[in-house]
Amino acid sequence: MSASAELAPNAKGRILDAAAEAFMVRGFANTTIDDIADELGATKGLIYYHFRSKFDIFLAVYEEGMRRVRERVEPYVGAPGTGRQRLVAMSIAHLENLMTELGYHHVVHQGVRYQGSTALKARQRDQLTALNELRRAYEHMFGRVISEGIADGSLRRVDEALATRTLLTNLNAVDIWYRKIDEQNDEDIHTLASQVVDILIGGIAA
């Protein structure tokens, strides 16, 4: 059986996984369709069957990355507990996503940089704008819970927008130093994420 045939049941998803890894390792500009095909163990033809260009793959990885992180974090927004408790749970879920989906995180992190690119087609620019709006809506979830934590007294009275940006910037900066090691399991990742969040949220805890 050929590699393309083996990939067929979930070809698009596997292309996105391979592309996320390639974009993280080489950077978007230095990644070629051949690199993605090599990462996937398939042919360029399979990739072009599903996507029209490298940037279209980038957009699809961005969209999937946002879907995955939101799926992890959103259940905690309206969960029982104080604003601080929910913010801690959201932040841990965000970091667990980052640590297990590092390639996707890198692409989401890069997405805003291409907003003003003149090389994009109109449809690509529109799609990127919509994805960046999704990212802002995701950030607003954190802002909402910070606001609720201030109101219930579990968080200090701080500037909500500044606290949101500072928290997410520091959570996202974990990708600078974090690399998964072979022996690390889900419990190890949860412990590490919890330790980082404890340090970060301690600064705004009441």
Side-chain angles (χ1 to χ4, degrees), residues 18 36 38 41 82 84 104 109 163 172 178 180 198:
I36 298 171
D38 289 344
T82 65
R84 179 185 176 182
Y104 283 92
H109 205 53
N172 290 331
Y178 175 79
K180 187 174 181 180
D198 181 60

Side-chain angles (χ1 to χ4, degrees), residues 26-39:
R26 300 176 179 84
F28 174 77
N30 295 324
T31 298
T32 66
I33 296 294
D34 282 317
D35 292 328
I36 298 171
D38 289 344
E39 185 75 36

Side-chain angles (χ1 to χ4, degrees), residues 12 16 19-20 23 28 36 51-67 104 107-108 110-112 114-115 120-132 134:
K12 197 167 185 178
L16 296 184
F23 291 148
F28 174 77
I36 298 171
F51 297 99
R52 295 161 69 175
S53 70
K54 183 176 76 168
F55 198 76
D56 288 316
I57 300 173
F58 178 89
L59 291 172
V61 173
Y62 187 162
E63 183 173 13
E64 178 64 10
M66 284 304 310
R67 186 193 69 77
Y104 283 92
V107 170
V108 171
Q110 295 171 42
V112 73
Y114 295 99
Q115 187 73 58
L120 301 183
K121 295 179 173 61
R123 66 174 177 80
Q124 293 174 327
R125 192 175 294 107
D126 289 345
Q127 189 175 353
L128 183 56
T129 298
L131 289 172
N132 283 331
L134 283 179

Side-chain angles (χ1 to χ4, degrees), residues 165-182:
R165 293 192 189 103
T166 301
L167 174 61
L168 282 169
T169 297
N170 281 280
L171 290 174
N172 290 331
V174 170
D175 74 354
I176 296 172
W177 54 263
Y178 175 79
R179 294 295 180 271
K180 187 174 181 180
I181 55 179
D182 290 340

